[in-house]
Amino acid sequence: MTATIELATPEVPHYPMARQCPFDPPRELGAIQAEEPVRRVTIWDGSRPWLVTRLSDVKAVLADQRFSADNLTPGYPATSAAVGARRRNVPSFIAMDDPDHAFFRRMLISEFSVRAIRGLRPMIERTVDELLDGMAASAQPVDLVAAFALPLPSLVICRMLGVPYADHAFFQSRSHSLVDTRSSVEDSVAASNDLLAYLEGLVAEREASGSEDDLLGRLAVRHVATGEITREQAASMGLLLLVAGHETTANMIALGTLLLLQDPEQAARVRDGVSVDGAVEELLRLLTVTHFGRRRVATEDVELGGVTVRAGEGVVAAAEIANRDPEVFADPDALDVDRTPNHHVAFGHGVHQCLGQQLARVELQVAYAALLRRFPTLRVDTPLDDVAFRDAMVVYGVHALPVAW
C-alpha cells in the first residue's frame, strides 16, 4: 500500500529546511523558535509531527517517558523511508523504551564510564600523533577527512570493539548507506544485514574462544554464552557502537576544524591549550551534527509549550536550534570557546543521552589541539563555496576537506 504524500504549505512548512549558511541551522527554524516554538511541520512521508524548538521544551520531551523512542510505535516520525526500514530490520536499543532500553544499556555503561575512557586517552593520543605524522609526510593538499577525521574515531572504536580496522572500507561504505537519507530501502536494509552478519561472526568467534579482551568479547562471554541475550542482539549493539562511534566524531572533527579556521583568534586559544575543553563544548553546541532532530511519539496526551500533543502524534525535538536558544545562550550564533555555562543538548538528554559522549569529548579534545599545534598555519585549500557538505546525511559534516599548511 502506498502512503498518501501531503504537500507542505506555508502554514505547515517542510522539515528539514535548507541551510543558508553551512555552519548554522536554517533561518526558518530561528523564526519558528521565536514565533511558535511548538508547531506542526510536514516531513518526507506527508505526516505532520510537532516540531519542538526551545531548549526547555526539547529537554522536557527527551526526559518524559510519555514520549516514546520506539520507532515501531504508530505515529513515530522516521527520518526517512530507508532509516525507518533499517531500524525495523535491525532493532536497536536506542529505539526502545525502558525497561528494554535500560536492560541493554546497562551492559555497556562500564565500557563508557569516565574512568574507562580516561584509561583510553593515551591510546587516543598515540593514534592522533601517528595520523598527524602521516599527514606531515604527505603531499599537500591533504584531505583532512580521509587522512585524520575519519580514521581516528574508526581506529578507536575498532580497538574498543575488537573489529579489525583492516575491514574499515567495508564497514565505512555500509555505514555511509545507513546515514544517507537518500538511500533506497533495499540498499539500507542490505547494508545493515551485511554489517549485522559480519558482527555476528565476530561475536561467535569470541564466544567460541572465551576471549574477553574487547567489548564484543565481553558481550559474547558474559551475556551471549549465558543465554541473557542472543548473538544477533549483541551484534546489533556492536552495529550501533561501530556506526555511531565513528560517524559523529569524524564529522565533528572535520566540521569543527573548518569552523575554527574561520576565526583565527578562537583557533589560537585551542592551539595554545587555553580553551580546549570549552571549544569542544561550544563546537558541539553550535554544530549539533545530528541535525534532523530527536524523534519521539506521544503515548498519551501531553501538554507541551502551551500545546496539547495527543497520543499517537509524532514529535521532532530539534536540538540543532534548541542549542541556539537566545533565552539560554547569550549571542547564541557566535563561536565563543570560553562560553560558560554551556548546557547544550548535542548529546541528547534524559535516559537516551548518548552513551559514548565521554569518548567523543576526549577524542575531540585531543584531535583539535594536536592538529592545530602540529600545523599552526593550517588552512583550507579550497573556497568555502566549493566544500561539499553532508546536507542529506543523518549526521551533518563535510564529505572532504582539502587542507594545507
Side-chain angles (χ1 to χ4, degrees):
M1 181 174 168
T2 303
T4 301
I5 303 299
E6 298 182 43
L7 297 178
T9 68
E11 293 75 31
V12 186
H14 195 281
Y15 179 87
M17 297 89 170
R19 294 173 182 256
Q20 291 76 34
C21 170
F23 302 116
D24 297 331
R27 282 195 292 266
E28 294 92 332
L29 286 179
I32 289 171
Q33 185 183 67
E35 297 165 11
E36 197 176 358
V38 181
R39 65 149 305 145
R40 297 251 190 208
V41 289
T42 303
I43 61 173
W44 63 275
D45 63 352
S47 63
R48 295 181 173 180
W50 294 97
L51 182 71
V52 181
T53 53
R54 289 188 305 199
L55 186 68
S56 59
D57 292 334
V58 165
K59 285 184 172 181
V61 167
L62 298 181
D64 190 335
Q65 296 200 43
R66 293 175 297 175
F67 293 105
S68 173
D70 184 349
N71 59 2
L72 299 181
T73 303
Y76 181 91
T79 307
S80 70
V83 171
R86 186 252 300 177
R87 287 189 172 171
R88 287 191 297 274
N89 182 56
V90 184
S92 173
F93 74 90
I94 64 165
M96 297 177 185
D97 298 323
D98 288 341
D100 294 332
H101 164 261
F103 171 76
F104 289 103
R105 186 180 174 105
R106 230 177 274 120
M107 297 177 192
L108 298 171
I109 286 175
S110 63
E111 304 281 352
F112 292 93
S113 68
V114 172
R115 180 178 179 180
I117 300 306
R118 189 181 299 125
L120 293 176
R121 190 175 187 114
M123 179 270 284
I124 294 170
E125 290 172 342
R126 287 194 303 273
T127 304
V128 165
D129 288 341
E130 290 165 3
L131 292 170
L132 294 179
D133 288 344
M135 279 183 61
S138 300
Q140 300 180 47
V142 173
D143 177 9
L144 187 71
V145 174
F148 183 62
L150 184 55
L152 171 60
S154 297
L155 281 160
V156 171
I157 198 64
C158 282
R159 289 168 183 166
M160 286 185 70
L161 288 173
V163 171
Y165 183 70
D167 296 335
H168 70 277
F170 163 78
F171 66 73
Q172 285 169 0
S173 67
R174 272 59 173 187
S175 174
H176 188 276
S177 177
L178 297 184
V179 299
D180 191 340
T181 60
R182 300 162 300 186
S183 294
S184 68
V185 169
E186 294 77 16
D187 287 347
S188 185
V189 169
S192 64
N193 284 340
D194 285 350
L195 283 170
L196 194 63
Y198 171 75
L199 290 163
E200 274 194 70
L202 295 179
V203 171
E205 288 176 10
R206 303 304 195 281
E207 191 180 357
S209 69
S211 171
E212 296 185 42
D213 292 340
D214 49 54
L215 193 154
L216 287 181
R218 289 186 285 277
L219 283 178
V221 173
R222 299 175 188 178
H223 303 290
V224 176
T226 61
E228 191 174 13
I229 61 174
T230 65
R231 284 181 189 165
E232 183 178 33
Q233 288 171 326
S236 175
M237 296 166 77
L239 172 58
L240 169 64
L241 299 175
L242 183 63
V243 174
H246 77 270
E247 282 283 352
T248 50
T249 306
N251 284 289
M252 271 302 304
I253 292 171
L255 189 63
T257 299
L258 178 58
L259 181 55
L260 283 171
L261 293 178
Q262 312 304 305
D263 191 330
E265 183 178 332
Q266 301 272 294
R269 294 185 67 76
V270 179
R271 182 193 65 223
D272 298 340
V274 177
S275 301
V276 177
D277 292 4
V280 168
E281 298 307 317
E282 180 69 341
L283 291 168
L284 285 163
R285 179 190 74 84
L286 270 178
L287 299 174
T288 312
V289 294
T290 50
H291 65 141
F292 290 158
R294 306 296 200 279
R295 308 296 174 108
R296 298 290 189 269
V297 58
T299 57
E300 56 184 88
D301 293 357
V302 182
E303 293 295 319
L304 180 68
V307 169
T308 300
V309 179
R310 302 293 182 188
E313 293 181 339
V315 175
V316 178
E320 67 272 25
I321 193 63
N323 279 337
R324 305 286 188 104
D325 190 336
E327 293 184 5
V328 180
F329 304 102
D331 198 4
D333 297 326
L335 172 64
D336 178 4
V337 299
D338 297 306
R339 185 185 297 275
T340 185
N342 196 345
H343 301 308
H344 59 77
V345 287
F347 289 118
H349 184 70
V351 297
H352 283 275
Q353 193 168 16
C354 176
L355 184 67
Q357 62 180 289
Q358 299 307 327
L359 174 62
R361 284 189 167 102
V362 171
E363 289 175 325
L364 294 172
Q365 289 162 6
V366 175
Y368 291 137
L371 176 65
L372 294 174
R373 280 198 307 268
R374 178 69 71 92
F375 305 112
T377 59
L378 189 73
R379 67 183 187 278
V380 180
D381 196 53
T382 190
L384 185 60
D385 288 346
D386 292 340
V387 175
F389 291 89
R390 293 166 48 109
D391 296 284
M393 301 299 210
V394 174
V395 181
Y396 186 62
V398 294
H399 290 286
L401 187 65
V403 295
W405 52 90

